[in-house]
Amino acid sequence: MKQQYVYFFGGGMAQGRADMNNLLGGKGANIAEMVNLGLPVPPGFTLTTELCNEFNKRNREYPKSLEKEVEVNLRRLEELAKKKFGDPVDPLLVSVRSGARASMPGMMETVLNVGLTEGTIPGMIAKTQNPRFVYDAYRRLIAMYSDVVMEKAEGIEPEDGDSIRNQLEHMLEAVKKKNGYVNDTELSENDLKELCAAYKVKVKEVLGAEFPDDPMKQLWGAIGAVFLSWNGKRAVAYRRIENLPDDWGTAVNVQAMVFGNTGDKSATGVAFTRNPATGDNNLYGEWLINAQGEDVVAGIRTPYAINKLAKTDANKDLPTLEEAMPKLYQDLMDIREKLETHYRDMQDLEFTIEDNVLYMLQTRVGKRNGPAAIKMAVDMAKSGLIDKDTALKRVKPEQVEELLHPMVDPEAEKLAEKLGKGLPAGPGGAIGKIVLTADKAMELGEQGKRVILVREETSPEDVHGMKPAQAILTSKGGMTSHAALVARGWGKCCIVGCSAMEIDTKAKTVTFGDKVLKEGDWITMNGTKGVIYEGQLDLVEVDPLSHKEYRTLMTWADKVRTLKIRTNADTPEDAAAAVAFGAQGIGLTRTEHMFFGDRIWAMREMIMAEDIEGRKAALRKLLPMQRQDFTGIFKAMGNRPVTIRLLDPPLHEFLPHDDEAQKEMASRLNTTERRIAAKAESLTEFNPMLGHRGCRLGTIYPEITAMQARAIFEAAADCWAEDIKVKPEVMVPLVGTVGEFENQKAIIDQQAAKVMDEKGITFKYMVGTMIEIPRACLIADQIAQQAEFFSFGTNDLTQLTFGYSRDDAGTFLPHYLESKILAHDPFQSVDQTGVGELMKIGTERGRTTRPKLKIGICGEHGGDPKSVWFCNSIGLDYVSCSPYRVPIARLAAAHAALANGHSVE
Amino acid sequence: MKQQYVYFFGGGMAQGRADMNNLLGGKGANIAEMVNLGLPVPPGFTLTTELCNEFNKRNREYPKSLEKEVEVNLRRLEELAKKKFGDPVDPLLVSVRSGARASMPGMMETVLNVGLTEGTIPGMIAKTQNPRFVYDAYRRLIAMYSDVVMEKAEGIEPEDGDSIRNQLEHMLEAVKKKNGYVNDTELSENDLKELCAAYKVKVKEVLGAEFPDDPMKQLWGAIGAVFLSWNGKRAVAYRRIENLPDDWGTAVNVQAMVFGNTGDKSATGVAFTRNPATGDNNLYGEWLINAQGEDVVAGIRTPYAINKLAKTDANKDLPTLEEAMPKLYQDLMDIREKLETHYRDMQDLEFTIEDNVLYMLQTRVGKRNGPAAIKMAVDMAKSGLIDKDTALKRVKPEQVEELLHPMVDPEAEKLAEKLGKGLPAGPGGAIGKIVLTADKAMELGEQGKRVILVREETSPEDVHGMKPAQAILTSKGGMTSHAALVARGWGKCCIVGCSAMEIDTKAKTVTFGDKVLKEGDWITMNGTKGVIYEGQLDLVEVDPLSHKEYRTLMTWADKVRTLKIRTNADTPEDAAAAVAFGAQGIGLTRTEHMFFGDRIWAMREMIMAEDIEGRKAALRKLLPMQRQDFTGIFKAMGNRPVTIRLLDPPLHEFLPHDDEAQKEMASRLNTTERRIAAKAESLTEFNPMLGHRGCRLGTIYPEITAMQARAIFEAAADCWAEDIKVKPEVMVPLVGTVGEFENQKAIIDQQAAKVMDEKGITFKYMVGTMIEIPRACLIADQIAQQAEFFSFGTNDLTQLTFGYSRDDAGTFLPHYLESKILAHDPFQSVDQTGVGELMKIGTERGRTTRPKLKIGICGEHGGDPKSVWFCNSIGLDYVSCSPYRVPIARLAAAHAALANGHSVE
């Protein structure tokens, strides 16, 4: 059997189907489907993606059989259209459009009005009684064809270097200027007729070839140009960015032209079967009378609303399609019903009305925002259109995020002046006045003023100013810098690493390129995208719990998922917020943040102590504070498990490094500046990330571990006394050898026994470890003999597995991502090949010695959907993420469970 | 059958054998063996190590059967000795000595003269006609017994807190003082008799118990005390240090006493069957007439030489045993012959002559130094006593090291004042005057003065002063710090991390505790042990190639080993030295060291360049210098393979960081200090180890890779033109992703093609990578698809696998080693459990995609015998180490091959 390269559609029947997407492209397959559904579609035929690949492989040669196949299909098209291609009396015109598997908007070429020639123009004029329309169509054909087919596809180089497209455009502008026209619509029939003639002369002059006057030559030229555009510069670049394969190829759709611009009984429009911004179950869209499709999109004329519900401020006084063409509107409503029932999803439609006849030009699954996606999915599941599993799959985890933070109004964003771009470290939108110090941020923030803290980078000493700020913006640091970590924990808008921004703290200015802003100037930040704007843009506020369908979807997600979701929370407030978002426990409480503020003085006293007795005295001051911290968190979490990590950062982080602050410290601790400077110096490390921190501190200073363990157990005992049955899980950080863990566990167990004895209360607790050192994964079987749980600290594990410092990787990581040396940022999504392999090894080996070992993840990756999926696939028990990512993780976990064959019902 | 706890020996027959070492301890087993060989050994019996464990487990209770068993053996002993234990007429006295599997010198207890009582003393006096001798023996028994058995073993606390041992000692001193005696020997019969009486009163007074006057009570007390001393403080601490297990237990040897101090026909001595310092095949030893064993060891009297060959300056005029007792000397020579033939190894003997009768008290394999070990092994193999495989096994790789560096004279070391201790970073000994700057070291060094460069730490800018220095001493840094790396490469004596040393560069002093030394003062360093001494100690010079047996042994090693040995060398001189030591190629040439000195200006120009053109211009200056470097190394290596690593360290290492130097640089490069400071600042990293270095540099600045590749290939082409068939292996450092390697390989291959084309010469080369990032091990299968060889960079791999910065680990690593959290320093010997596991994974996975992948190791571990063994076991093709460790690695590789069943013949 000869291979079929051409698939016909029209007359109520098509050779293709929607599921032939790969062969016919998205557009072609869906047109075929619409035809089979009996919808009014202009007839035509699709040349397959296989043909595209053949053509490009054979160096622009078609298979021999093709000419005949096109001929046969063209004849069939003529029969249905009741017009003949190239007929001087009533000529058929066709559009030649690309259509790949996935939408690649604007990346490939289109040629319209193919078939207009000196020979067919008179017939067209006679038939339409509209010579201006015909010459306008001819002008567009010449311009498009000479550009797309002659210059680009056939590779004819223009004479004087400027493209034929620009040169023709200049001619058009010259005519308009000469006549004092502003819009193209003012061009008269005669202007256009003369322009067409002049265009053809110019084409000959510039490209050295005639614009073809043969309809078939035009057709073949257009088909070839579309196929070639698959390998055009823009298309290739787009595929690189979107990770699309080169061997897909594009299909070509040749279709009878219909015109929405033949007069007042004609129109064109785009519509969504449901509102893509809210999810409401109403037809939504825009249309224009007497216009072409591109006019709706181009924004030259204000499009009309399709019905009352779709009206906006801009078009509230303009006629709707429902009012202007009620019969055709009803037809469209029927089609909407038919398509949604058939596709079981919201559709994005293109239609044209030519002389009171409705034609469907395209249907495809419509894009939608997060809240709309959720509402549609739940509505459709409730109405029985889809099942609950499908509803869950319809919503991307990232879309849930849109419900959790106020967003910059997308419309306002389009018009706003972009100041700069950084890494999107904390999602949502924020508006505020620039402030350059944490103190000022706190001062103004407490007065209820909206401020954005702008710094080179932040440190734990800035936290008091970060909390009241609307957002945080830094010029240095990466996705896991201090600012990013803290902001994400709070669900606060944050952009980091905006390297083009320069801060002058003396002059109190912030410079973006040429633009100089002062402290106090307003800026707006889109933390989801990482973009900074000048001035105040509108924010769209959201509240997930008021979104009824969100609540429903989440119950379904919880029903199907097997992975537990915990949260990373360091305060009772964060813990309570996370519980409200559905957290089932705490996977990581960092204790170091508890030693700043006033408590830093006891901490510094401990660091400066000459001996163990001095350290113990300082630690005794910290004990009641720590106990209070833990009691608060335990109470917020009730009976849920709470994992508390022992002190992790190197001690020098608690000492001041500038003279002024060292002076203050000296006077406060009654010692000399010299001693403090010497201590700070002695604690300085070449590579602090690889230095004296984590359990290496607790091993050298066992009294710190003892104090923290005692505080945890005293708090637990107090809770149990109040009948709050807390289950503390004490986590030893940075374990790389069994000896370290044994050493720390002995201290912790001893404190537990002492506290239980003192308080006369028994309670359960666990001692486990953070797995964040590559070696720990390799010896996980040994560690698991002692440790009752593991929690993967994927931030540090990623740093060590790659040998990247997250604070320094900015020098090469962006380049690695851009040049695809890295497929994605391993600090955002778990590197499954490397880091993930170590996690797998750690999980497998850990469970060889302790089969029921509880294993979770508490790195930043715990809130990343792809990483959640991966964690589920390697058999972890839970993921832990910042409170504001808990819903995202819940949905991602549900997706993973669905993929594993689980079902909501 | 009842368990046997007592093994008899004597009368030409013993129940034990040498191979019953575990049960009878080393001393007991070898005594039994000597008895079986027919040697003259005082009879006795051994109580087993199993009994020791039983006794300690049962809380100082013996099995019921034991009393009877001891009784039987004691009777047998009496029969052979022809004396009775406790007999008032001719009493038998016994010694009760410990003896574990391994020698634990001085760690456990001994009680001599057991059986002397008020009842047996008269008989002893009558028999010996020497009352002074008898009372002296009695005095010693009371002192030993009250200390070892009563106070220590039975745990009786002395009344006034001071130990009974000290109190008795004071009494002795008092008597001597009263009578004006200097030596114990001046004490008269009467003095001793009175002392014995006073001792017994004192024991009663202080310990509240009588010194037992019953021989059997004495015997059981002594046996129990020896068993208990296995768990004594000193013994336990010793086992911790030496990694000996606690469950070995000690045996107890009860043996008829013989006395070397009964008069001029008695003597005692120790001997080695060959000279333990030179390996010469002569009896070597010391003896004393009319003396006890401890007198020879204690150093109170100058021991005599055993024969003419053993004479020293100290005893050259004293009689030898050969001269004084020729018959007995001949007996000893016969015994020597018998024992060496039997044990097939050099023996360390103890003997006593009582009234012209020779008794052997102990034999064991003798300790020996490196040169002696080599000579003995080769001599014995040549004489047929052992085979070549055994000869190779007899020499520890570390012993070869003694041949490669001058050593501090061990005798001088014993007497010298220790200033401090650090990490033994470069072996051998050195003497020099303290200098505190590299410039001064160079200046004085070039004048031929011997100096030691003393610094907090060193950097590449100090190299010019390190080379001419005799040794390097730093207060900071670890085994892989800059100083250690450089020194080891040169085989230079070096001690790092001597944290007790304080350097005051202004006052030009170096302080060790209270001791203040000035610049110019002499110090001596033992780099093998890491000890620093004040003043000038003697050095022992060595030259391995002049050691005939060394050369022979190495040919045998090379014959049997399968692992190849390469060297790490950055200069033609190092390369040539390594070849002389037997290196088969270069495994690592670091190129960064080549950019210091004058060349640093071109390097700095490159770093400061504003754009790629500026960088290329600077690199063009570096190209001819690099080419020259490589040509030199290639020529030194001839046809051997040479692996060259591309630039690895972060660029900021090439910039000056202090104002003065920045000023110089600004004027020299015709730019501003501000620009230089800004550049240095922008290159500063939080964690440079994890920052912008290795192939991350080459990826961002491909022109650097291109220049280095071109220099390598131009040098190779030049060599081929001279018919030197070099095989360059270009090594890309710090690869963690396939993309990085592909990127760099493309640049390298392009340069190779260009150079071959330009020069019209074709040559083979390889492009491979250093495996030093944990992720690289995990994705080794992917990397091996592109890379033609792997070389494990175990320094960085260890840092990353453990998460330790070698520059910072000094804060906790020593504690980890001391408290056994780590069994050994992973920077010295490959951590087989963690890092080694990654190496295994990397090797296995790499060879799944490239079965013949060449794999080596070029980290510091390549010269560590245990690591060499490990590399052999996981199937590496070669190890690469610093030139001075090549012989060590050759022998270690031979040992590994022997263990795998290979044989020299």
Side-chain angles (χ1 to χ4, degrees), chain A residues 73 149 188 229 263 326 338 387 393 437 479 501 522 538 553 587 647 762 783 792 798 806 864:
Chain A
N73 281 281
V149 185
S188 68
S229 70
K338 219 169 202 169
D387 60 20
K393 287 180 198 163
T437 66
M479 289 299 281
M501 174 175 80
W522 287 96
D538 281 346
L553 192 80
L647 195 67
T762 338
I783 295 178
F792 284 106
T798 300
R806 60 193 184 198
D864 166 68

Side-chain angles (χ1 to χ4, degrees), chain A residues 748-763:
Chain A
I748 295 161
D749 284 342
Q750 193 188 28
Q751 290 299 325
K754 273 192 194 167
V755 171
M756 287 192 211
D757 187 50
E758 286 163 21
K759 303 254 178 179
I761 282 178
T762 338
F763 52 84

Side-chain angles (χ1 to χ4, degrees), chain A residues 334-377:
Chain A
D334 293 346
I335 287 170
R336 166 189 180 245
E337 180 68 29
K338 219 169 202 169
L339 285 174
E340 266 212 354
T341 310
H342 183 71
Y343 281 102
R344 297 171 191 272
D345 201 356
M346 187 267 268
Q347 296 292 301
D348 169 357
L349 313 171
E350 285 180 23
F351 63 90
T352 284
I353 294 166
E354 182 180 303
D355 297 329
N356 266 338
V357 182
L358 173 68
Y359 293 99
M360 297 305 297
L361 296 184
Q362 174 153 309
T363 188
R364 58 182 174 191
V365 171
K367 291 207 162 69
R368 63 208 73 179
N369 71 15
I374 294 168
K375 179 161 169 49
M376 283 179 203

Side-chain angles (χ1 to χ4, degrees), chain B residues 564 566 584-589 630-631 633-645 712-713 715-720 723-731 756 761-768 788-789 854 878:
Chain B
K564 292 200 171 58
R566 295 198 187 184
Q584 296 167 286
I586 288 183
L588 174 63
T589 292
F630 299 140
T631 309
I633 290 171
F634 286 151
K635 287 190 175 168
M637 295 306 289
N639 298 349
R640 296 177 188 87
V642 175
T643 305
I644 295 167
R645 180 177 70 181
I712 292 167
F713 295 128
D718 291 351
C719 287
W720 278 72
D723 210 33
I724 306 167
K725 298 188 170 66
V726 303
K727 292 174 200 75
E729 301 178 347
V730 185
M731 181 153 73
M756 288 191 208
I761 281 180
T762 337
F763 51 83
K764 284 197 179 155
Y765 68 96
M766 290 173 102
V767 186
E788 291 166 294
F789 66 88
K854 181 153 74 169
Y878 69 86

Side-chain angles (χ1 to χ4, degrees), chain A residues 83-100:
Chain A
K83 293 177 182 180
K84 282 200 154 53
F85 192 62
D87 183 5
V89 180
D90 187 6
L92 169 69
L93 302 190
V94 297
S95 62
V96 178
R97 288 189 167 94
S98 66

Side-chain angles (χ1 to χ4, degrees), chain A residues 610-651:
Chain A
E610 300 271 7
D611 52 21
I612 184 166
E613 283 316 314
R615 276 198 299 279
K616 281 189 174 168
L619 287 166
R620 271 194 294 274
K621 294 185 194 171
L622 287 167
L623 175 67
M625 309 180 198
Q626 277 266 281
R627 186 176 52 227
Q628 198 185 0
D629 297 329
F630 298 140
T631 308
I633 290 171
F634 284 152
K635 288 190 175 169
M637 295 305 289
N639 298 349
R640 296 178 187 86
V642 174
T643 306
I644 296 167
R645 180 178 71 183
L646 302 180
L647 195 67
D648 185 55
L651 293 183

